[in-house]
């Protein structure tokens, strides 16, 4: 659906005579927005949830009437007045918001405003972000090192294996007695960091963490999300299989002789624009650093809990290497990365590792329950903020908050809660003061940096933690607003995810996409996004931070892709599907319930405190029946194991629960049924 609609729109929007006119107009009004699609109605190009907020942005100086048009019949299905214009400094424009949240019909629509071309068509649907959620993870698969991508999984982006990385040289900067310069180690697998073909531990830290956090927070969502990757169909959720590809590489980056971790695995120079298998060059592990070692310790500590259920042996190994790394970092607390003279690839240099120390300590504390890790740091003085690769302290707060109920008494629960909620409130306020209706960009040059789009999604990531803690819907809506930004409700009018939207990046700084002779770039990648840095020296259409974006290979400062930018896309799109998408709140109409399993309405309902649940299985198999609260958190597992075919009957007691609406969900293989029940005490 996506690419065709891009093409068709491209053609219908710019007929030949119009292009000629445009050329003349451009000459006379250099800098005018129309040539770049800036003066258009901006929407989330994928769409909206029936019950979610729905905003469009209209540029202009006078309040206008807007209409929502059903593309099927062409009729007006909703109309309203825009807000009054407000100024947004980052794109130097007056804009108004068209709010059609009250319209909840599903279908395909456009926004119409007199004097403007209709907006791109968008959907209103329960699963409106399901495909982009899948694609955001699949993008990492497309960046796998050391393996061929087969057509059955990769389609037109199939390619031979690149960079086996089974012969990797220890660089002079990393030489030790046991592993002198030129010593050979093996470091296969992992994801290419970005548009380049190197692998960096620091950037893998926040990337793998954010994806594992997604799993920790929404396990049920990912247990049923199939990605069509080589491991699909094994007993492990596909998301965890994909992350494992990178963990398997990361684990090789520790020197077993001392516990220190190499900063990166790299060639000496960036590769030319060739496919991975054509880039046959020597690869090196370069100096150990405190930042890499702490990122590694934190990630492995998380992996140890997340993989426990699926691979206990790996979980035990992960914890062991994490603690070993921690020790090295404690003994070597200030080894900052310094690029050797003969190495010219990405640096990910970080001169402040206090935040990495906090993060690793927190993860080790959570996983081991050992108070020494909590006490190793003074968390009282540790702030919270929007995470980024050089600033990982917020990840500590996220993990501590998620595990709040299971921490030892050493931890200060109020502190953890207030760190999450204070930041949430701050971001919410930015969102409320924004002419564009999102917090993205509102921290100025802290947001509009290289990789700005990941800043916006990391706002959402932190807003979602405030939502999970408070259950206050405002935080969820604000998180969605920044997601809207990524998918088109921004000053450039681009949806910044390759393949998902009507106007998408076609020429990202991604070597495979540039070298593969396929028209469309590899889908599911978030490009870096606008900022005024322009470090690549390309010719940009604007110097304004929110408009300084170029869809061109040249623009590695705004149009590259990177694993740490996709990771919050994975988290946020999954969270949206989870909370708004009816994963837990929708009750299937009788005629749509899959016929392999049957789940009856509980009786009595409402109940207090005990109720009966009956279900039928047409085939024997593994069955799980669990109860969730309104936030989708699992509060009780009633059944989890193998069962015979036939009718089953269980009673459930809500003794330990508060009054409220709960969901109970029956799963067997691919089939899931959810129903609501009400506990009235
Ligand atoms: O730390 C300063 C901060 O103090 C200052 O306020 C701010 C103002 O601009 O700049 C901060 O430094 C920035 C730094 O990132 C940390 O955020 C630099 O200006 C900025 O140029 C730098 O950009 C990094 C870029 O590499 C160049 O080093 C990006 O974050 C980083 O994502 C990017 O990563 C590259 C890898 O090196 C190679 N692989 C591709 C990848 C993506 O482009
Ligand atoms: O392609 C490189 C990209 O992955 C990096 O993020 C970027 C910044 O380090 O550098 C790119 O490589 C450029 C190099 O730095 C300068 N010469 C042009 C290269 C892009 O073709």
């Amino acid at each position: 659906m996506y690419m065709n609609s891009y093409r068709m729109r491209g053609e219908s929007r710019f007929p030949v005579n119009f292009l000629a006119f445009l050329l003349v107009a451009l000459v006379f009004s250099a800098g005018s927005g129309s040539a770049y699609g800036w003066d258009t109605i901006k929407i989330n190009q994928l769409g909206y949830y029936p019950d979610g907020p729905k905003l469009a942005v209209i540029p202009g100086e006078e309040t206008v009437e807007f209409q929502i048009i059903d593309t099927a019949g062409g009729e007006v299905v909703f109309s309203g007045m825009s807000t009054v214009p407000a100024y947004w400094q980052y794109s130097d424009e007056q804009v108004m918001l068209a709010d059609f949240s009250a319209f909840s019909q599903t279908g395909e629509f456009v926004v119409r405003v007199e004097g403007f071309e209709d907006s791109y068509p968008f959907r209103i649907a329960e699963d409106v972000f399901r495909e982009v959620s899948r694609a955001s993870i699949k993008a990492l698969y497309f960046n796998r090192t050391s393996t061929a991508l087969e057509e059955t999984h990769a389609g037109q982006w199939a390619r031979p294996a690149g960079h086996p990385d089974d012969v990797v040289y220890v660089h002079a900067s990393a030489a030790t007695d046991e592993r002198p310069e030129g010593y050979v180690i093996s470091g296969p697998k992992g994801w290419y960091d970005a548009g380049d073909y190197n692998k960096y531990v620091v950037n893998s830290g926040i990337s793998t963490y954010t994806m594992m956090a997604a799993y920790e927070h929404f396990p049920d969502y990912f247990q049923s999300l199939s990605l069509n990757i080589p491991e699909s169909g094994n007993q492990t959720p596909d998301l965890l299989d994909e992350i494992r590809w990178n963990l398997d590489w990361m684990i090789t980056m520790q020197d077993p002789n001392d516990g220190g971790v190499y900063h990166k695995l790299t060639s000496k120079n960036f590769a030319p624009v060739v496919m991975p298998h054509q880039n046959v060059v020597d690869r090196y592990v370069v100096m150990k650093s405190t930042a890499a070692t702490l990122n590694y310790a934190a990630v492995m500590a998380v992996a140890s809990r997340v993989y426990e259920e699926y691979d206990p042996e790996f979980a035990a190994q992960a914890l062991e290497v994490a603690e070993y790394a921690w020790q090295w970092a404690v003994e070597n607390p200030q080894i900052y990365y310094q690029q050797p003279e003969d190495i010219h690839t990405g640096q990910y240099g970080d001169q402040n590792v206090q935040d990495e120390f906090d993060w690793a300590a927190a993860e080790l504390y959570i996983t081991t329950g050992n108070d020494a890790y909590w006490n190793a740091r003074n968390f009282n003085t540790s702030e919270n903020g929007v995470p980024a690769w050089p600033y990982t302290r917020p990840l500590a707060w996220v993990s501590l908050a998620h595990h709040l109920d299971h921490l030892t008494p050493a931890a200060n629960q109020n502190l953890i809660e207030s760190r999450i909620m204070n930041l949430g409130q701050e971001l919410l306020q930015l969102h409320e003061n924004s002419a564009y209706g999102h917090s993205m960009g509102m921290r100025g040059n802290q947001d509009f940096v290289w990789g700005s789009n990941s800043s916006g999604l990391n706002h959402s990531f932190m807003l979602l933690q405030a939502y999970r803690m408070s259950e206050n819907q405002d935080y969820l809506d604000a998180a969605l607003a920044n997601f809207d930004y990524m998918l088109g409700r921004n000053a450039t009018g681009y949806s910044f995810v390759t393949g998902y939207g009507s106007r998408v990046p076609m020429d990202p700084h991604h070597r495979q996409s540039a070298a593969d002779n396929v028209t469309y770039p590899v889908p599911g990648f978030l490009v870096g996004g606008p900022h005024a840095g322009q470090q690549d020296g390309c010719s940009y259409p604007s110097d304004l931070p929110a408009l300084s974006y170029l869809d061109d290979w040249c623009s590695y400062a705004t149009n590259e892709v990177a694993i740490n930018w996709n990771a919050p896309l994975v988290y946020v799109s999954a969270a949206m599907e989870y909370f708004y998408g009816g994963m837990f709140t929708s009750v299937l109409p009788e005629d749509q319930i899959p016929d392999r399993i049957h789940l009856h309405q509980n009786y009595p309902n409402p109940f207090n405190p005990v109720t009966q649940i009956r279900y039928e299985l047409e085939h024997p198999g593994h069955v799980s029946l669990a109860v969730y609260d309104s936030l989708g958190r699992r509060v009780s597992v009633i059944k989890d194991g193998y069962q015979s075919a036939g009718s089953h009957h269980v009673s459930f007691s809500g003794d330990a629960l508060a009054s409220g609406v709960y969901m109970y969900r029956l799963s067997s293989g691919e089939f899931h049924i959810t129903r609501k029940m009400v506990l009235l005490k």
Side-chain angles (χ1 to χ4, degrees):
M1 139 220 155
Y2 60 95
M3 290 306 182
N4 289 341
S5 66
Y6 173 84
R7 272 284 137 128
M8 279 161 49
R9 281 211 68 90
E11 280 155 19
S12 66
R13 283 167 80 83
F14 300 117
V16 175
N17 55 353
F18 178 66
L19 274 181
F21 162 79
L22 200 67
L23 209 63
V24 175
L26 249 181
V27 173
F28 287 102
S29 67
S32 136
S34 55
Y36 300 102
W38 296 343
D39 291 343
T40 54
I41 302 172
K42 316 288 176 20
I43 52 156
N44 182 321
Q45 293 168 22
L46 292 186
Y48 304 87
Y49 290 111
D51 298 329
K54 300 173 196 71
L55 291 177
V57 166
I58 306 163
E61 316 219 330
E62 245 169 83
T63 306
V64 289
E65 188 191 353
F66 68 91
Q67 296 176 329
I68 305 299
I69 313 289
D70 189 335
T71 58
E75 73 273 18
V76 180
V77 289
F78 185 88
S79 63
M81 292 304 290
S82 73
T83 56
V84 294
Y87 182 66
W88 209 53
Q89 69 190 96
Y90 305 108
S91 52
D92 187 25
E93 59 178 339
Q94 299 276 346
V95 295
M96 299 161 285
L97 297 173
D99 186 342
F100 52 107
S101 306
F103 179 69
S104 61
Q105 210 175 295
T106 57
E108 194 197 72
F109 310 92
V110 295
V111 181
R112 180 168 296 167
V113 176
E114 209 187 306
F116 286 89
E117 213 175 317
D118 285 353
S119 75
Y120 293 117
F122 60 86
R123 287 167 70 218
I124 297 182
E126 288 270 358
D127 61 350
V128 70
F129 302 137
R130 185 61 59 101
E131 284 311 314
V132 75
S133 161
R134 272 206 186 90
S136 65
I137 310 167
K138 188 77 181 260
L140 283 304
Y141 159 79
F142 284 114
N143 257 27
R144 283 188 187 190
T145 309
S146 321
T147 189
L149 309 187
E150 304 295 344
E151 209 186 321
T152 44
H153 307 115
Q156 59 183 323
W157 297 284
R159 60 166 173 82
H163 307 91
D165 284 345
D166 49 353
V167 174
V168 176
Y169 302 104
V170 171
H171 185 263
S173 59
T176 57
D177 288 349
E178 294 89 351
R179 290 182 162 192
E181 181 181 359
Y183 184 90
V184 172
I185 68 165
S186 176
K189 297 181 152 184
W191 299 315
Y192 296 126
D193 179 59
D196 63 326
Y197 292 143
N198 305 298
K199 305 188 286 198
Y200 309 85
V201 171
V202 165
N203 201 42
S204 270
I206 188 169
S207 311
T208 27
Y209 168 78
T210 305
M211 291 170 67
M212 286 193 287
Y215 183 80
E216 267 199 310
H217 300 181
F218 316 114
D220 303 274
Y221 174 74
F222 290 109
Q223 276 156 13
S224 63
L225 197 74
S226 168
L227 301 175
N228 182 27
I229 56 177
E231 298 79 8
S232 294
N234 68 7
Q235 297 307 301
T236 306
D238 284 2
L239 173 69
L240 293 187
D241 281 325
E242 192 49 56
I243 299 171
R244 184 68 187 270
W245 192 267
N246 203 48
L247 290 170
D248 282 352
W249 161 66
M250 282 183 86
I251 213 161
T252 70
M253 290 296 277
Q254 183 175 54
D255 181 348
N257 300 299
D258 61 9
V261 175
Y262 303 111
H263 195 74
K264 59 177 174 179
L265 192 164
T266 183
S267 51
K268 288 196 169 178
N269 297 294
F270 285 120
V273 187
V274 294
M275 293 299 281
H277 68 280
Q278 296 168 323
N279 183 225
V280 182
V281 283
D282 287 346
R283 310 260 281 178
Y284 301 86
V285 286
V286 182
M287 74 173 272
K288 293 166 193 160
S289 70
T290 312
T293 305
L294 288 168
N295 269 278
Y296 177 101
V299 160
M300 291 302 164
V302 178
S304 174
R305 357 181 245 271
V306 169
Y307 287 83
E308 173 69 41
E309 185 180 345
Y310 297 99
D311 189 345
E313 217 171 286
F314 171 66
Q317 185 196 6
L319 182 56
E320 204 174 298
V321 298
E323 296 201 271
Y324 195 25
W326 169 262
Q327 268 170 36
W328 187 92
V330 168
E331 285 155 24
N332 300 275
Q334 286 182 326
I335 313 249
Y336 304 122
Y337 182 69
Q338 242 195 322
Q339 183 95 303
E341 266 179 14
D342 59 338
I343 302 283
H344 305 285
T345 53
Q347 302 213 21
Y348 291 113
D350 186 357
Q351 305 293 309
N352 180 347
V353 294
Q354 292 312 305
D355 51 307
E356 282 78 13
F357 265 112
D358 275 2
W359 179 34
E363 300 299 358
L364 282 161
Y365 166 61
I366 294 165
T367 302
T368 61
N370 179 349
D371 289 352
Y373 287 115
W374 175 269
N375 294 328
R377 305 295 300 167
N378 185 0
F379 282 101
N380 286 312
T381 60
S382 293
E383 278 312 318
N384 195 6
V386 176
W389 67 259
Y391 180 53
T392 56
R393 178 172 290 128
L395 311 179
W397 295 118
V398 170
S399 288
L400 289 165
H402 179 71
H403 293 277
L404 200 62
D405 297 340
H406 306 284
L407 301 178
T408 71
N412 179 343
Q413 297 214 354
N414 291 336
L415 178 75
I416 297 166
E417 278 177 9
S418 73
R419 287 290 187 270
I420 294 289
M421 293 315 301
N422 289 348
L423 179 70
Q425 279 157 19
E426 211 178 289
L427 294 173
L428 190 58
Q429 192 135 34
L430 295 179
H431 162 266
E432 281 159 5
N433 293 337
S434 158
Y436 258 84
H438 40 61
S439 67
M440 168 54 199
M442 295 295 284
R443 300 181 314 152
N445 288 339
Q446 279 180 276
D447 287 340
F448 284 113
V449 290
W450 191 315
S452 63
N453 284 341
S454 71
S455 308
L457 285 178
N458 278 320
H459 284 213
S460 295
F461 178 56
M462 296 311 286
L463 282 160
L464 282 161
Q465 308 315 314
Y467 172 62
R468 296 176 69 237
M469 183 157 273
S470 65
E471 303 186 24
N472 175 345
Q473 181 83 20
D474 293 346
Y475 295 110
L476 181 60
D477 291 352
L480 177 57
N482 294 333
F483 192 61
D484 282 353
Y485 171 101
M486 300 308 148
L487 294 168
R489 186 154 70 80
N490 64 62
T492 69
Y494 274 93
S495 164
F496 289 121
V497 182
T498 55
Y500 288 82
S502 299
R503 186 177 194 218
V504 288
M506 289 297 284
D507 206 1
H509 193 87
H510 183 236
R511 281 172 173 72
Q512 295 172 60
S513 295
D516 64 5
N517 288 321
V518 177
T519 307
Y520 300 114
V522 171
F525 272 114
L526 180 76
V527 295
H531 66 106
Q534 304 186 2
Q535 291 89 337
D536 42 41
C538 310
S539 168
Y540 284 84
S542 167
D543 291 338
L544 291 164
L547 287 172
S548 179
Y549 166 73
L550 192 63
D551 177 21
D552 193 303
W553 158 263
C554 170
S555 177
Y556 56 78
T558 74
N559 209 34
E560 192 165 355
V561 307
I563 58 174
N564 64 313
W565 305 338
N566 254 62
L569 180 66
V570 168
Y571 187 99
V572 175
S573 56
M576 293 305 148
E577 281 293 287
Y578 188 81
F579 290 125
Y580 289 108
M583 170 99 190
F584 289 93
T585 48
S586 82
V587 175
L588 280 178
E590 287 300 330
D591 62 345
Q592 285 177 32
I593 290 181
D595 58 5
R596 252 193 78 156
I597 59 179
H598 306 272
L599 178 66
H600 298 269
Q601 189 63 51
N602 62 306
Y603 182 84
N605 190 43
F607 65 100
N608 179 27
V610 177
T611 188
Q612 311 294 324
I613 299 173
R614 208 158 59 76
Y615 56 95
E616 276 125 42
L617 308 176
E618 298 201 347
H619 303 273
H622 187 101
V623 169
S624 89
L625 177 65
V627 179
Y628 302 84
D629 67 12
S630 58
L631 273 179
R633 291 179 300 211
R634 187 159 55 192
V635 294
S636 170
V637 177
I638 303 176
K639 175 82 207 164
D640 189 17
Y642 186 85
Q643 278 200 309
S644 55
S647 184
H648 300 273
H649 176 262
V650 291
S651 44
F652 171 71
S653 167
D655 246 349
L657 301 175
S659 290
V661 177
Y662 292 87
M663 313 290 150
Y664 57 104
R665 183 167 199 252
L666 179 71
S667 305
S668 181
E670 299 239 299
F671 299 104
H672 309 277
I673 306 177
T674 306
R675 288 186 178 276
K676 280 185 193 175
M677 61 184 175
V678 180
L679 174 60
L680 257 189
K681 287 193 163 170

